[in-house]
């Protein structure tokens, strides 16, 4: 597809990979990226949990889409958050390493840190195994 914008230029877009079977499982589908929208008011616990679940769903689809597409590289540049992927596992970053962009996706940094602590408690001592 080519797009011409007067006095700006011509842009050409091309498809790199086939779409996923279900577009709603694309990690960048709008429904999987609500965690990025900074609220304009203090959030209640239920809203915070929904935000965290949306963030985790984004990562779930980010990882699963890599196994469905021919190019299995996982790029986290636009999905920075509290999770870290390392050889053979998935974990949480240290609290001191939480990206500023992730903190600022919450109404306040304190709410973001509270959610970090909650998710840390939730996963502490658990092992999540993938398909083997």
């Amino acid at each position: 597809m080519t797009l011409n914008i007067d006095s700006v230029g011509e842009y050409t877009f091309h498809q790199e990979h086939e779409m996923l079977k279900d577009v709603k499982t694309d990690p960048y589908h709008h429904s999987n990226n609500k965690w990025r929208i900074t609220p304009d008011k203090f959030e209640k616990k239920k809203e915070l949990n929904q935000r965290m679940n949306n963030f985790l769903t984004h990562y779930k689809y980010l990882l699963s889409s890599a196994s469905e597409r021919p190019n299995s590289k996982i790029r986290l540049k636009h999905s920075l958050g509290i999770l870290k992927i390392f050889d053979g596992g998935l974990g949480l970053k240290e609290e001191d390493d939480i990206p500023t962009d992730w903190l600022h996706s919450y109404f306040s940094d304190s709410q973001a840190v509270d959610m970090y602590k909650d998710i840390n408690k939730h996963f502490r001592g658990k092992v999540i195994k993938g398909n083997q």
Side-chain angles (χ1 to χ4, degrees):
M1 175 174 83
T2 302
L3 173 67
N4 287 304
I5 301 175
D6 292 338
S7 70
V8 175
E10 181 178 286
Y11 295 89
T12 303
F13 300 90
H14 67 277
Q15 182 175 340
E16 281 193 38
H17 303 291
E18 291 296 318
M19 291 179 60
L20 298 174
K21 292 174 188 161
D22 181 358
V23 70
K24 290 182 181 177
T25 64
D26 189 291
Y28 297 106
H29 188 271
H30 67 89
S31 65
N32 302 322
N33 284 274
K34 293 178 181 179
W35 63 272
R36 298 178 190 274
I37 302 168
T38 305
D40 56 359
K41 63 179 177 54
F42 192 82
E43 291 181 289
K44 295 181 176 156
K45 188 68 171 175
K46 181 179 178 182
E47 295 166 317
L48 289 170
N49 286 336
Q50 288 171 334
R51 176 178 295 282
M52 180 56 70
N53 284 334
N54 190 254
F55 172 73
L56 294 173
T57 299
H58 169 76
Y59 260 79
K60 172 185 160 184
Y61 290 145
L62 190 67
L63 296 170
S64 65
S65 68
S67 66
E68 289 185 41
R69 292 187 168 131
N71 182 350
S72 61
K73 288 184 181 177
I74 298 171
R75 293 173 183 83
L76 299 176
K77 180 179 177 182
H78 301 293
S79 301
L80 296 178
I82 59 174
L83 297 180
K84 69 177 180 178
I85 299 172
F86 52 93
D87 188 27
L90 181 67
L92 288 180
K93 294 180 179 179
E94 296 296 326
E95 191 172 337
D96 294 343
D97 293 332
I98 297 173
T100 304
D101 287 348
W102 189 83
L103 287 171
H104 293 170
S105 69
Y106 286 81
F107 179 71
S108 68
D109 289 1
S110 64
Q111 280 200 309
V113 171
D114 287 347
M115 283 312 299
Y116 170 85
K117 289 177 180 176
D118 282 355
I119 199 73
N120 193 18
K121 284 182 211 170
H122 180 74
F123 286 112
R124 187 174 291 138
K126 294 183 182 177
V127 175
I128 301 171
K129 296 182 179 181
N131 294 340
Q132 301 199 19

